[in-house]
Amino acid sequence: MNVYLEKLERIEFIVTMCCTGKCRHCSEGDHSAYHGHIDGAAAAEAVTEVCRHYNIKSLMTFGGEPLLFPGTVCAIHSAAAKAGIGCREIITNGYFTKDKARIAEVAHMLAESGVNRILLSVDAFHQETIPAEPVELFAERARAEGLPIELSPAWLGGRDADNPYNAETRRLLERFSEKGFGIADGNVIFPKGNALKYLSDYTESFADIADPYEEDPRQLHSLCFSADGSVLKGNIYDNDIIDIIRDYRP
Ligand code: SF4
């Protein structure tokens, strides 16, 4: 259909740019000016359409904090499950409410929607502004629903680097792993957004680290939808996703 998307195998959704965190390493910068989320029905329809033409192997939802809008997240994952996408992941900081009943309800919604991997952001940076208790509770409720959940920390200068942030991250991970939660690779902080602004004392730790989310625009493996519906050089609120894909030029 389009030579630049011949290798397309993954879909990503930035569900919202709103966030409950104010992380000093956030590559997206300050979230305070944002509101709203992608339209769940339009996003689900786009998933269904793309899967009619491409063999999509994985889909991920993230933000901002995606679980501020769990109905939208679940509409997307339900469409992914129905379309036969095998790997259906969400990255969340786990903090969208302190209400225990709501936490349980959202964990149940995620299980029903077919999410099959939760990556939970737990580290020194997230826990500077996000309390650990509701995050722990969410992790426990998600596990009780049978959802595979792994911790996904951000490392400064690499997993083995020695600095106060990584030391605090290791302490937090131990707290969670004592409860039986596994630890994924996580990611290494790269020079973008808040990291450039608030971690200037550590610039040498990440100056040479490439943005892992950047792709060659001439050979895209992943289709990334923004919270305002934009994708590639179009917008699903204005055009059919298949037309957007067909018309894409780097
Ligand atoms: S790193 Fe994640 S949790 Fe922290 S401010 Fe950015 S989007 Fe929010």
Side-chain angles (χ1 to χ4, degrees):
M1 180 186 298
N2 184 323
V3 67
Y4 304 114
L5 288 107
E6 272 177 350
K7 298 194 184 308
L8 186 65
E9 59 179 10
R10 178 174 171 82
I11 300 176
E12 296 178 349
F13 282 96
I14 299 173
V15 172
T16 180
M17 287 295 283
C18 301
C19 196
T20 50
K22 288 187 174 62
C23 303
R24 70 171 73 205
H25 73 301
C26 184
S27 61
E28 293 168 350
D30 181 9
H31 291 258
S32 58
Y34 294 106
H35 54 88
H37 57 89
I38 195 164
D39 181 85
E45 193 183 320
V47 170
T48 306
E49 276 298 300
V50 172
C51 290
R52 280 203 185 108
H53 297 268
Y54 290 92
N55 181 17
I56 303 297
K57 297 183 178 134
S58 66
L59 178 144
M60 175 176 273
T61 50
F62 56 102
E65 174 40 53
L67 292 181
L68 287 170
F69 304 103
T72 305
V73 168
C74 291
I76 294 169
H77 283 284
S78 296
K82 207 167 165 188
I85 298 176
C87 177
R88 303 180 296 275
E89 305 170 301
I90 179 170
I91 299 185
T92 170
N93 67 34
Y95 180 47
F96 45 95
T97 178
K98 287 183 178 165
D99 184 308
K100 289 182 182 173
R102 180 64 174 160
I103 290 171
E105 184 184 19
V106 170
H108 183 67
M109 286 168 70
L110 289 176
E112 292 280 294
S113 76
V115 167
N116 57 17
R117 189 181 188 211
I118 297 179
L119 290 167
L120 188 64
S121 302
V122 171
D123 52 55
F125 300 100
H126 286 83
Q127 264 56 65
E128 272 189 324
T129 58
I130 295 169
E133 292 72 22
V135 177
E136 247 171 3
L137 187 57
F138 168 69
E140 281 164 4
R141 295 309 311 169
R143 183 166 59 186
E145 290 284 347
L147 287 160
I149 185 158
E150 292 166 75
L151 310 177
S152 181
W155 298 102
L156 181 61
R159 174 181 276 265
D160 300 323
D162 202 8
N163 56 63
Y165 288 106
N166 287 356
E168 173 61 5
T169 294
R170 289 184 195 105
R171 190 192 69 76
L172 283 159
L173 293 178
E174 206 176 310
R175 170 176 169 166
F176 277 75
S177 56
E178 273 169 8
K179 299 195 170 184
F181 296 108
I183 304 170
D185 287 344
N187 65 292
V188 179
I189 294 170
F190 52 95
K192 194 174 173 188
N194 283 355
L196 288 171
K197 209 163 152 188
Y198 300 120
L199 293 171
S200 53
D201 287 354
Y202 292 91
T203 307
E204 74 284 356
S205 302
F206 53 74
D208 297 332
I209 296 172
D211 181 344
Y213 306 111
E214 264 189 16
E215 275 209 289
D216 178 356
R218 304 180 70 82
Q219 196 175 86
L220 295 175
H221 292 77
S222 180
L223 196 57
C224 188
F225 294 79
S226 297
D228 65 0
S230 59
V231 56
L232 298 175
K233 295 187 175 177
N235 190 300
I236 52 171
Y237 301 152
D238 303 324
N239 296 102
D240 187 272
I241 183 62
I242 299 307
D243 292 338
I244 294 172
I245 289 175
R246 194 194 52 229
D247 295 343
Y248 170 73
R249 299 290 178 274

